Amino acid sequence: MIRRKKKLVLDNGQVFEGILFGADCDKVSEVVFNTSVVGYQEIVSDPSYAGQIVVMTYPLAGNYGITDEDYEAKQSYIDGIIVRECCDTPSNFRLTRTLEEELEENGIPCISEVDTRMLAKAVRRAGRPRGAIVDADMPVEDALALIRNTPAGERSVRRVSCRKRWLTRTPNHRFSVVAVDCGIKHSIIRLLASRGCNVTIVPFDTAAGDVLAYNPDGVLLSNGPDNVPDVPEVSALFHAIKGRIPVLGTGLGAEIIGTCYGAVPKWMGCGIHGDHPVRELESGRIETAVMNQSYCFESLEGTGLTPTHVSVPEGYAAGFINREDKVFGVQFQIEAAPGPRDNVKLIDIFIKMMEENKDAEKN
């Protein structure tokens, strides 16, 4: 099969050539890189990557195909992916289609045979540049003009959040959880279900009164693509329920919680996307976490939040807790999708908070 040549042009004029793998279309978007070793399906379907082109630093993608049970959302919002090598003959007894078929069906372009190590370094130096996936014969000047004249893509919670509530149910449930959908990953819903939780997923702008009307044992503030100032509705919701019922925040949800307590988020440039070491302060263990963040909290001093995890080697707070208010947050993914299972156990902190809160209400 003869494949067309394509290229990625960054807004600083750098060019990275390769061949088409996926939908045959042009795309202009912000460029980031992800260092995960596995999990390309979870990355492609993660709403947190809405409006972005993702460079996969691991050199191979597509080798185990796509599996229906592993999607992180009902549709993909990613704008494109760049890889070193794509496999179009996957081997996996669970696969339902190939990666290329998935990309073609969802209109997602991919360029393979790119020097992704060099590209990741270029993205890191530029701090999340904009780039254009275009035909190889397009002049660089035309590609740069296309980037300049294309409005920034919509990377908003409003775009990826559900429009109406939806439910998941598990037999003999122990807890009821309301998940505020800022771009929620289905893996954390499955993780809650495995711990005996019925989950009601609601839009990000649901009012506190409506959330409390479900009589939840706990509330999850999910991950998502926006920045904290862009979702004042979620901040207002957290202020209204803080201290009343247990709250777990992951990713963007954790950033919202930290900011509401007075922590100051710091812009991280290219950010951290993929596997990254964190230290659990209580045990001193260093574990691998899956991160997808653009901001960090360098200090939690004076906020009332106690750090539980710090990044290695940077040392910024990656997790925190306020036991009095029954609040727990982590700026990484605890649901092990994709990759490391080191932090799955952290969901039990939230489960214990709900259990203790129910016991206190009975007494």
Side-chain angles (χ1 to χ4, degrees):
M1 177 180 178
I2 300 176
R3 294 183 177 274
R4 292 184 56 192
K5 292 185 178 181
K6 302 283 281 189
K7 64 185 176 185
L8 173 71
V9 180
L10 300 184
D11 56 13
N12 60 8
Q14 287 184 278
V15 177
F16 298 85
E17 295 187 349
I19 61 173
L20 176 67
F21 192 96
D24 188 2
C25 60
D26 294 346
K27 193 72 73 169
V28 175
S29 190
E30 182 180 70
V31 183
V32 299
F33 61 86
N34 187 292
T35 60
S36 294
V37 174
V38 297
Y40 54 79
Q41 178 177 349
E42 289 85 349
I43 293 166
V44 167
S45 59
D46 184 349
S48 295
Y49 286 112
Q52 291 181 322
I53 295 170
V54 179
V55 180
M56 306 293 292
T57 62
Y58 188 74
L60 179 62
N63 52 307
Y64 52 85
I66 297 292
T67 305
D68 286 346
E69 294 84 0
D70 293 344
Y71 287 108
E72 291 298 341
K74 296 178 181 179
Q75 70 179 92
S76 296
Y77 299 94
I78 196 171
D79 274 353
I81 62 173
I82 310 294
V83 299
R84 179 67 185 91
E85 179 183 352
C86 271
C87 174
D88 56 3
T89 56
S91 176
N92 179 2
F93 73 95
R94 297 174 64 234
L95 76 87
T96 53
R97 69 181 72 186
T98 67
L99 173 59
E100 184 167 33
E101 290 168 338
E102 174 72 11
L103 297 175
E104 288 175 338
E105 182 168 326
N106 288 278
I108 302 169
C110 169
I111 306 179
S112 66
E113 298 191 10
V114 175
D115 186 344
T116 50
R117 294 182 66 183
M118 182 182 293
L119 176 53
K121 290 179 179 179
V123 172
R124 185 175 183 180
R125 286 192 298 267
R128 305 175 82 164
R130 297 187 75 207
I133 294 176
V134 295
D135 290 338
D137 57 1
M138 176 182 283
V140 174
E141 295 76 13
D142 292 350
L144 293 174
L146 179 64
I147 295 172
R148 288 193 300 269
N149 297 327
T150 302
E154 185 182 5
R155 295 204 63 243
S156 70
V157 166
R158 186 174 299 278
R159 177 187 175 197
V160 303
S161 178
C162 60
R163 303 294 186 266
K164 297 287 185 180
R165 67 125 194 213
W166 57 284
L167 316 170
T168 66
R169 292 295 178 258
T170 187
N172 304 313
H173 75 280
R174 299 167 56 207
F175 306 103
S176 296
V177 174
V178 170
V180 180
D181 183 7
C182 299
I184 194 168
K185 295 174 67 177
H186 289 187
S187 290
I188 196 162
I189 299 173
R190 292 191 285 264
L191 183 58
L192 287 167
S194 72
R195 299 300 200 273
C197 297
N198 278 348
V199 184
T200 301
I201 300 90
V202 300
F204 78 99
D205 55 357
T206 302
D210 294 333
V211 168
L212 295 174
Y214 290 108
N215 194 28
D217 298 307
V219 172
L220 166 69
L221 304 183
S222 82
N223 58 288
D226 255 335
N227 302 322
V228 175
D230 299 318
V231 280
E233 300 90 342
V234 186
S235 296
L237 167 64
F238 176 70
H239 277 299
I241 65 175
K242 183 178 71 172
R244 301 176 66 175
I245 52 177
V247 178
L248 168 64
T250 64
L252 175 62
E255 292 174 19
I256 291 170
I257 291 172
T259 303
C260 288
Y261 274 94
V264 179
K266 177 186 176 182
W267 172 249
M268 300 175 66
C270 64
I272 298 177
H273 307 272
D275 302 342
H276 196 79
V278 296
R279 184 189 301 275
E280 185 181 49
L281 296 179
E282 183 177 3
S283 65
R285 288 174 53 90
I286 294 179
E287 300 174 330
T288 303
V290 178
M291 292 189 172
N292 183 5
Q293 65 180 113
S294 304
Y295 289 86
C296 68
F297 296 123
E298 289 188 305
S299 173
L300 297 176
E301 187 175 352
T303 64
L305 296 171
T306 301
T308 58
H309 298 76
V310 296
S311 68
V312 179
E314 300 88 355
Y316 62 77
F320 50 76
I321 196 167
N322 184 309
R323 296 192 181 277
E324 183 178 353
D325 290 340
K326 297 163 285 194
V327 170
F328 178 49
V330 290
Q331 286 190 279
F332 49 87
Q333 309 301 326
I334 62 177
E335 70 279 359
R341 300 188 59 83
D342 301 33
N343 296 289
V344 171
K345 64 182 183 297
L346 297 180
I347 195 70
D348 294 325
I349 296 176
F350 181 52
I351 298 296
K352 186 176 181 181
M353 283 181 171
M354 291 193 290
E355 193 170 42
E356 291 175 346
N357 194 57
K358 287 186 74 171
D359 291 342
E361 289 177 349
K362 290 178 182 178
N363 298 329

